[in-house]
Amino acid sequence: MAESNGHSPLDQFKIAKLHELQVAGLDVSITNSTVVMVLAVVLVTLFLTMGVRRRSMVPGRWQAMAEMSYEFVGNMIRDNVGNEGRRFFPFIFTLFMFVLFGNLLGLVPYSFTFTSHLAVTAALAVLVIVLVTAVGLVLHGLHFFSFFVPKGVPIVMMPLMVPIEIISYLSRPVSLSIRLFANMMAGHTMMKVFAGFVVTLGAATYGVGAIAPLAMSVALTGFELLVAFLQAYVFTVLTCLYLNDAIHLH
Amino acid sequence: MSGFGQAFRIAAELVSSLLVGLGIGWGLDEWLGTKPWLLILFFFLGAAAGMLNVYRATKGYGLAVGYRKHGNDDDAQR
């Protein structure tokens, strides 16, 4: 890990500029992160459009997968938001597929995990919270702010409780983004550390020492696959819960 | 959700509220020139909000602001 020749487990998180680009004084260079993001969008689009191209009554494997992802998000919205949540399906489905494909593409060797960057997850979380707040304000007007006034609390306690509720509300995007980014970053760092052990321990012990870290690497890859799905799911389900709060203001 | 995921979620909940509280306190201090009093005040408010969030998450209130559980009006009376 101490090697300085570019084999640190944290090297995978480096942003590399592939093409310098300046628009109106802003640095919008094309980086490895942008490339994977675009790739994720393209792959999701291909996955869905190609999947439903034939639209057979008895779906093939591909069509079944596309339909499954649709139903998965559809059920999630129905269970957590209810019928009013239906019109947010495109947004939530896009969010889910984007995060999921970002997580999964990161598992491909030599690829880049854009969801392991706080800037990306924070931007997504801010988008979610701004949308949810806007939905609440549009649907309920100023009544939305009754959200911050807990019921059954004596009036004397209000100066204390209202700021706490507001902080609690503002902490949502923070915890939403930290959860996804930290999970992805920790998992990928761990994978690289154990993969590094395969080489260093193996070289030191004529290959015998490589067995345990190699087995661990295999196990971790499987585990990371689970985490990739789980974190995409958690991110989306929490978005649904926040949306539910904003729509069904008590 | 797995036990690990649950634990991670609770931890993120606790830390993020504290961060937000500290951020607000620091920002207000910079703005109003009241260093360090608002930072201290909002540190405690943030910690309280974090604990409230953890309480709600573990009690199954979801992450709803307010004590009320959805679809169950009995809880509104507590």
Side-chain angles (χ1 to χ4, degrees), chain B residues 17-35:
Chain B
S17 295
L18 196 58
L19 284 180
V20 170
L22 283 173
I24 292 176
W26 186 80
L28 285 178
D29 266 346
E30 286 286 304
W31 184 40
L32 301 169
T34 48
K35 257 179 199 168

Side-chain angles (χ1 to χ4, degrees), chain A:
Chain A
M1 276 163 281
E3 305 112 300
S4 52
N5 53 358
H7 294 301
S8 149
L10 295 178
D11 264 4
Q12 55 177 324
F13 302 119
K14 264 193 194 139
I15 300 266
K17 276 186 193 175
L18 302 177
H19 181 73
E20 291 274 348
L21 206 61
Q22 296 268 340
V23 173
L26 286 172
D27 188 8
V28 288
S29 303
I30 297 181
T31 63
N32 47 357
S33 181
T34 354
V35 168
V36 181
M37 274 188 232
V38 172
L39 189 66
V41 173
V42 170
L43 282 180
V44 172
T45 314
L46 279 181
F47 170 66
L48 292 170
T49 48
M50 302 295 274
V52 296
R53 202 178 40 164
R54 246 185 269 140
R55 283 191 289 274
S56 45
M57 257 329 255
V58 182
R61 289 201 197 105
W62 199 343
Q63 191 185 337
M65 272 207 296
E67 283 176 2
M68 242 163 72
S69 53
Y70 175 91
E71 273 165 22
F72 182 66
V73 178
N75 287 338
M76 188 153 58
I77 294 173
R78 205 189 49 212
D79 293 346
N80 292 303
V81 193
N83 259 337
E84 300 91 330
R86 273 195 170 155
R87 44 189 162 153
F88 299 101
F89 178 85
F91 173 71
I92 292 177
F93 188 69
T94 311
L95 199 65
F96 175 72
M97 292 309 268
F98 185 62
V99 173
L100 178 65
F101 270 64
N103 290 350
L104 289 178
L105 280 176
L107 282 174
V108 177
Y110 296 102
S111 144
F112 181 86
T113 328
F114 61 78
T115 43
S116 68
H117 275 258
L118 188 55
V120 176
T121 59
L124 288 174
V126 166
L127 175 72
V128 166
I129 224 71
V130 167
L131 177 97
V132 163
T133 311
V135 165
L137 280 173
V138 167
L139 286 182
H140 303 285
L142 289 179
H143 185 63
F144 173 72
F145 292 103
S146 71
F147 207 40
F148 300 118
V149 184
K151 254 191 198 147
V153 175
I155 202 91
V156 204
M157 292 292 283
M158 281 306 173
L160 190 63
M161 286 313 289
V162 172
I164 289 180
E165 291 290 351
I166 291 174
I167 292 177
S168 166
Y169 187 74
L170 290 177
S171 78
R172 286 171 166 193
V174 180
S175 69
L176 197 60
S177 52
I178 286 183
R179 194 176 301 112
L180 179 57
F181 130 82
N183 263 295
M184 296 319 290
M185 176 140 170
H188 282 259
T189 310
M190 209 148 74
M191 269 169 85
K192 278 283 162 72
V193 168
F194 276 100
F197 281 166
V198 174
V199 180
T200 46
L201 278 182
T205 58
Y206 301 102
V208 184
I211 297 170
L214 187 63
M216 194 67 194
S217 284
V218 173
L220 273 179
T221 308
F223 181 68
E224 274 308 301
L225 204 61
L226 172 80
V227 168
F229 274 100
L230 191 69
Q231 288 307 317
Y233 170 73
V234 167
F235 196 91
T236 338
V237 106
L238 286 177
T239 304
C240 287
L241 287 177
Y242 296 157
L243 203 57
N244 181 41
D245 275 351
I247 291 176
H248 304 115
L249 208 60
H250 334 282

Side-chain angles (χ1 to χ4, degrees), chain B residues 13 33 35 55 76:
Chain B
E13 222 51 73
K35 257 179 199 168
Y55 174 77

